[in-house]
Amino acid sequence: MAADRVSERSLAVLHAIVGDFVATNEPVGSKTIVERHRFGVSAATIRNDMALLEDEDLIAAPHTSSGRVPTDKGYRLYVDTLASVRPLTVAQRAAIERFLGDSRDLDDALARTVRLLAQLTNQVAVVQYPSLRRTQVRHIDLVAVGENRVLCVLILGTGVVEQQIASLPSALVTEAWVHGLRERIAGAVVGRDLEAAVEAMLTLSESLDEWAQQGEAELVRRVSDVVLDQLRANRSDRIAIAGAANLSRPGEFSGTLPAVLEAIEEQVTLLRLFGELAREGRDRGDRLDVAASIGRENEPYGLQGTAVIATGYEHEGETSSSIGVLGPVRMDYASNIAAVRAVARYLSGAIGES
Amino acid sequence: MAADRVSERSLAVLHAIVGDFVATNEPVGSKTIVERHRFGVSAATIRNDMALLEDEDLIAAPHTSSGRVPTDKGYRLYVDTLASVRPLTVAQRAAIERFLGDSRDLDDALARTVRLLAQLTNQVAVVQYPSLRRTQVRHIDLVAVGENRVLCVLILGTGVVEQQIASLPSALVTEAWVHGLRERIAGAVVGRDLEAAVEAMLTLSESLDEWAQQGEAELVRRVSDVVLDQLRANRSDRIAIAGAANLSRPGEFSGTLPAVLEAIEEQVTLLRLFGELAREGRDRGDRLDVAASIGRENEPYGLQGTAVIATGYEHEGETSSSIGVLGPVRMDYASNIAAVRAVARYLSGAIGES
DNA sequence: ACTGGCACTCAGAGTGGGTGAGTGCCAGAG
DNA sequence: CTCTGGCACTCACCCACTCTGAGTGCCAGT
């Protein structure tokens, strides 16, 4: 492994370089390091270490005689060797409490969370909706809308409400008929979790076919298909985003701004990226852990030039969905990682109890 | 009026300047104009006209000897004297049809519309949700959620579903009690439009007070307050946005990008701006008309440096809400105005029938 | 009212020397 | 073997300078 060659002190130098560069946005030279950090050695020694780091492709010089800048690989090693994630300040903890304290429902909690995280990190914050697989169906309703449409309303345990319209082929339906159908479907699915409800619904379909009068089979199928759709729908394919205004900090995103804006609008790219990253964090540590993806590592998503920090959060016992931030490669990893971790933990606790 | 002094031809010159500048993003000089447009006169004559235009503060020279650039006032006059709004191409009309043809419900229609408009204009598109004041209440439902919460679901004519949770002070409520309350409220409001439903609900409150058993008054009030809230809620305070990726075109938004991103995230600013503008367009013409707000005119909203084109669209007979685009001052007003108008008209027709 | 001509202006591109931060390397000390 | 001080060297950047050409303003002539 290449990193074996870098000594204790070289690593410290790398940390110094990353730290200074993140703070000042200017290539940092050996002299600067010596006078800003209390290494016990002279600039020449630092230079030797820097030569080594450059050999390992951890830092690079923009032009022949100027200070050094971390490479993507350098940031990566920096993050991996980040020993103590600086804990949040008291003020920040208080902000979390205040912000998330009294959320009305799940949607509200997530909206607040993502805004908070954006504010805390000064980056673009992203949170994925939880999957709700283990959430109970609390109520289901069918309402005739117009003459050939039926609105299916599904209410879940966490207070989430989903609605979708089933269009029927011309035939009129009576209030009573809709009511009867509703009773049967409700009887089958209410009280079960979504996964079980899908099963129950599939079984029910057969008996519904018998219940249906002459010529009604098609109507019944249309409605039950919509209900099935709703039960199966993957809620975790949506994300909430906040802090897009942070993208305008000039010079940060050199040429990647278009890609980032597009990703925000597309959502699906971010979804994949954050999901992947949260999974990685989960697999690695024994505990819920934060993972980062830096620069070129994001190339498959067209987001080279950016860095992403993500982790999963727990909901109904499952660490189903991801939360994190997206920013320029040159970001303050230490505090951002701390913020993502803290917010994810708080969120896990908060939405469990509601 | 100052504009009286500008002759027919000077105005044509202004149009040429705006047109060329929008196309090339470079100050345009007298010579360029002569060779690109078939004026029957020499460059010197054009220069005289330009001197006049500069006198009127319609164009300005970035530096002493270079071509001219339209001022905000120049753009304004240009837009006001835009005679024939170029009609959309056949391909564009076809795109509108294809895009909006089969929308599922109101939300879907609006989402498609705004994306279409963004694509058509290459700008940021904004559409405000309609107010629904005249929309009928089709169904109302109360569902006990947990032990001390009641979920109120409101279903409106257009297929819009609103939900909100009422928290009760500790006391348990029975299914039957909730059901009874639901029957009464539904009886009062279902079938009325939102405005009338609010009235009915207020009247109902009194009789509900009697109906309520000992100690239940508070519970009833909590629930009916939430229902009232939902009936009164102004749905038109939400907007949908698309095309944010268009902001990244470099050089377009010189220094205003932060303000724009912030406005997009805040929404309330855009809401006011677009609402104001749509109203202006409505008041001016005899027919639904498109209005523009250019550069400094947007200063109250912190959006100097941008131009906004907006109009209203009709829903349930009312021209309640606005639709339009936001872009740099240097934009193609002719085609963008055409696009906004066409999409607004199509939308007015489309969501009426669903 | 329009035109051709002419002097004038000035941004931007190109040039060249000076400056200094920063490097690489080496010989010597601990 | 590690660290240090010293020294030559390299460029990016800054500044001052010149040159060029697009474009203007004005004026006398048609």
Side-chain angles (χ1 to χ4, degrees):
Chain A
M1 165 107 195
D4 290 356
R5 283 187 52 204
V6 312
S7 70
E8 193 85 8
R9 196 187 50 220
S10 325
L11 195 58
V13 171
L14 175 62
H15 277 246
I17 291 177
V18 172
D20 281 18
F21 181 65
V22 165
T24 66
N25 195 17
E26 272 176 15
V28 14
S30 52
K31 203 173 148 192
T32 324
I33 293 185
V34 182
E35 66 196 21
R36 205 153 357 182
H37 305 264
R38 296 218 164 275
F39 287 89
V41 298
S42 80
T45 311
I46 300 294
R47 277 206 290 281
N48 290 332
D49 288 336
M50 286 167 76
L52 175 66
L53 292 175
E54 189 159 20
D55 242 34
E56 295 291 339
D57 194 29
L58 295 168
I59 59 179
H63 28 264
T64 314
S65 87
S66 188
R68 308 305 170 80
V69 161
T71 62
D72 287 354
K73 198 175 156 196
Y75 281 116
R76 161 57 56 201
L77 182 58
Y78 169 80
V79 168
D80 288 344
T81 54
L82 215 47
S84 70
V85 177
R86 181 186 333 151
L88 296 190
T89 66
V90 190
Q92 285 173 316
R93 293 217 153 271
I96 296 184
E97 286 284 348
R98 184 155 28 81
F99 232 81
L100 303 183
D102 46 283
S103 317
R104 280 205 322 275
D105 56 15
L106 184 61
D107 282 8
D108 190 40
L110 293 179
R112 283 162 183 255
T113 301
V114 72
R115 273 171 47 206
L116 169 68
L117 189 55
Q119 194 184 306
L120 235 42
T121 59
N122 276 312
Q123 309 290 353
V124 178
V126 176
V127 60
Q128 182 186 10
Y129 283 74
S131 85
L132 306 183
R133 276 193 304 149
R134 296 258 169 265
T135 306
Q136 277 196 356
V137 175
R138 195 171 294 272
H139 185 82
I140 193 163
D141 219 336
L142 301 180
V143 186
V145 179
E147 292 185 323
N148 57 347
R149 287 178 190 185
V150 173
L151 181 65
C152 310
V153 180
L154 186 65
I155 302 176
L156 304 181
T158 358
V160 175
V161 179
E162 304 269 341
Q163 68 265 0
Q164 197 172 328
I165 289 183
S167 304
L168 306 181
S170 75
L172 309 188
V173 293
T174 66
E175 281 279 345
W177 183 84
V178 170
H179 194 260
L181 186 53
R182 178 202 167 279
E183 287 305 310
R184 274 153 211 276
I185 294 180
V189 301
V190 167
R192 301 182 193 271
D193 70 26
L194 280 173
E195 244 170 15
V198 169
E199 294 303 321
M201 196 60 203
L202 288 174
T203 325
L204 180 67
S205 293
E206 297 164 19
S207 64
L208 278 183
D209 280 347
E210 294 169 25
W211 172 79
Q213 309 263 321
Q214 174 77 13
E216 288 180 357
E218 178 64 10
L219 304 191
V220 171
R221 191 192 327 273
R222 291 278 181 114
V223 172
S224 60
D225 276 358
V226 167
V227 172
L228 252 178
D229 243 33
Q230 288 185 283
L231 293 172
R232 279 194 184 128
N234 192 4
R235 276 127 199 114
S236 65
D237 57 6
R238 288 171 50 217
I239 55 181
I241 299 177
N246 292 320
L247 291 173
S248 57
R249 233 171 308 137
E252 299 277 338
F253 290 88
S254 31
T256 42
L257 208 148
V260 175
L261 283 174
E262 212 148 297
I264 288 178
E265 199 143 340
E266 282 300 327
Q267 302 222 343
V268 59
T269 310
L270 287 184
L271 210 49
R272 289 218 314 274
L273 174 50
F274 273 80
E276 180 63 36
L277 204 51
R279 202 167 311 121
E280 184 184 312
R282 182 157 65 250
D283 293 347
R284 186 150 43 82
D286 37 359
R287 180 82 183 81
L288 248 196
D289 210 356
V290 179
S293 179
I294 300 165
R296 303 286 293 270
E297 298 170 5
N298 292 325
E299 202 157 16
Y301 306 94
L303 290 173
Q304 56 275 25
T306 69
V308 176
I309 297 175
T311 188
Y313 65 89
E314 292 184 2
H315 179 253
E316 313 245 320
E318 294 190 87
T319 76
S320 50
S321 294
S322 53
I323 178 172
V325 299
L326 179 155
V329 171
R330 185 189 137 257
M331 66 154 70
D332 184 344
Y333 292 92
S335 22
N336 288 350
I337 287 176
V340 169
R341 172 175 297 158
V343 171
R345 290 211 177 141
Y346 191 93
L347 182 61
S348 299
I351 65 177
E353 72 200 23
S354 92
Chain B
M1 168 106 195
D4 291 355
R5 284 189 49 205
V6 310
S7 70
E8 193 86 7
R9 196 186 53 218
S10 325
L11 194 58
V13 171
L14 175 62
H15 277 246
I17 292 177
V18 172
D20 280 19
F21 181 65
V22 165
T24 65
N25 196 17
E26 272 175 14
V28 14
S30 52
K31 202 173 149 193
T32 325
I33 293 184
V34 182
E35 67 196 22
R36 209 161 347 192
H37 305 263
R38 296 220 164 272
F39 286 89
V41 298
S42 81
T45 310
I46 300 293
R47 279 207 287 282
N48 289 333
D49 288 336
M50 286 166 78
L52 175 66
L53 291 174
E54 187 159 21
D55 241 36
E56 294 292 339
D57 194 30
L58 295 168
I59 60 178
H63 29 264
T64 314
S65 86
S66 188
R68 309 303 170 79
V69 161
T71 61
D72 287 355
K73 199 176 156 196
Y75 281 116
R76 160 59 55 201
L77 181 58
Y78 169 80
V79 168
D80 287 344
T81 54
L82 214 49
S84 71
V85 177
R86 181 185 332 151
L88 296 190
T89 66
V90 190
Q92 285 173 318
R93 294 218 152 269
I96 295 184
E97 286 285 348
R98 186 156 25 82
F99 232 82
L100 303 184
D102 47 284
S103 317
R104 279 206 322 275
D105 55 16
L106 184 61
D107 282 8
D108 189 39
L110 293 180
R112 282 161 183 257
T113 300
V114 71
R115 272 172 46 205
L116 169 68
L117 189 54
Q119 194 183 309
L120 236 40
T121 59
N122 276 313
Q123 309 291 353
V124 178
V126 176
V127 59
Q128 182 185 10
Y129 283 74
S131 85
L132 306 184
R133 275 192 306 150
R134 297 258 168 265
T135 305
Q136 276 195 357
V137 176
R138 195 171 295 270
H139 185 82
I140 193 163
D141 219 336
L142 301 180
V143 186
V145 179
E147 292 185 324
N148 56 348
R149 289 178 189 185
V150 173
L151 181 65
C152 311
V153 181
L154 187 66
I155 302 176
L156 303 181
T158 357
V160 174
V161 179
E162 302 271 342
Q163 67 265 1
Q164 197 172 326
I165 290 183
S167 304
L168 306 181
S170 76
L172 309 187
V173 293
T174 66
E175 281 279 347
W177 183 84
V178 171
H179 194 260
L181 185 54
R182 179 200 167 281
E183 287 304 311
R184 276 154 209 275
I185 295 180
V189 302
V190 167
R192 302 183 192 272
D193 69 26
L194 280 173
E195 244 171 16
V198 169
E199 294 303 320
M201 195 62 202
L202 288 174
T203 325
L204 180 68
S205 292
E206 296 164 21
S207 64
L208 278 182
D209 279 348
E210 292 169 25
W211 173 77
Q213 310 264 321
Q214 174 76 13
E216 288 180 358
E218 179 64 12
L219 304 192
V220 171
R221 189 188 332 270
R222 291 280 181 113
V223 173
S224 60
D225 276 359
V226 166
V227 172
L228 252 178
D229 243 34
Q230 287 184 283
L231 293 173
R232 278 193 183 129
N234 191 4
R235 276 122 199 119
S236 65
D237 57 5
R238 287 171 52 218
I239 55 181
I241 298 178
N246 293 321
L247 291 174
S248 57
R249 233 171 308 138
E252 299 277 338
F253 291 87
S254 32
T256 42
L257 208 148
V260 175
L261 283 174
E262 212 149 297
I264 288 178
E265 198 144 339
E266 283 299 327
Q267 304 222 342
V268 59
T269 309
L270 287 184
L271 210 49
R272 289 218 314 274
L273 174 51
F274 273 80
E276 180 62 36
L277 205 51
R279 201 166 312 121
E280 183 185 314
R282 183 158 63 250
D283 293 347
R284 185 149 44 82
D286 37 358
R287 180 84 182 80
L288 248 195
D289 210 357
V290 179
S293 179
I294 300 165
R296 302 286 294 269
E297 298 171 4
N298 292 324
E299 203 158 16
Y301 305 95
L303 290 174
Q304 56 277 23
T306 69
V308 177
I309 296 174
T311 188
Y313 65 90
E314 292 184 2
H315 178 255
E316 314 245 318
E318 295 190 86
T319 76
S320 50
S321 293
S322 51
I323 178 171
V325 299
L326 179 155
V329 170
R330 187 190 136 257
M331 66 154 71
D332 184 344
Y333 292 92
S335 22
N336 288 350
I337 287 177
V340 169
R341 172 175 297 158
V343 171
R345 290 213 177 139
Y346 191 93
L347 182 62
S348 298
I351 65 177
E353 72 200 25
S354 93

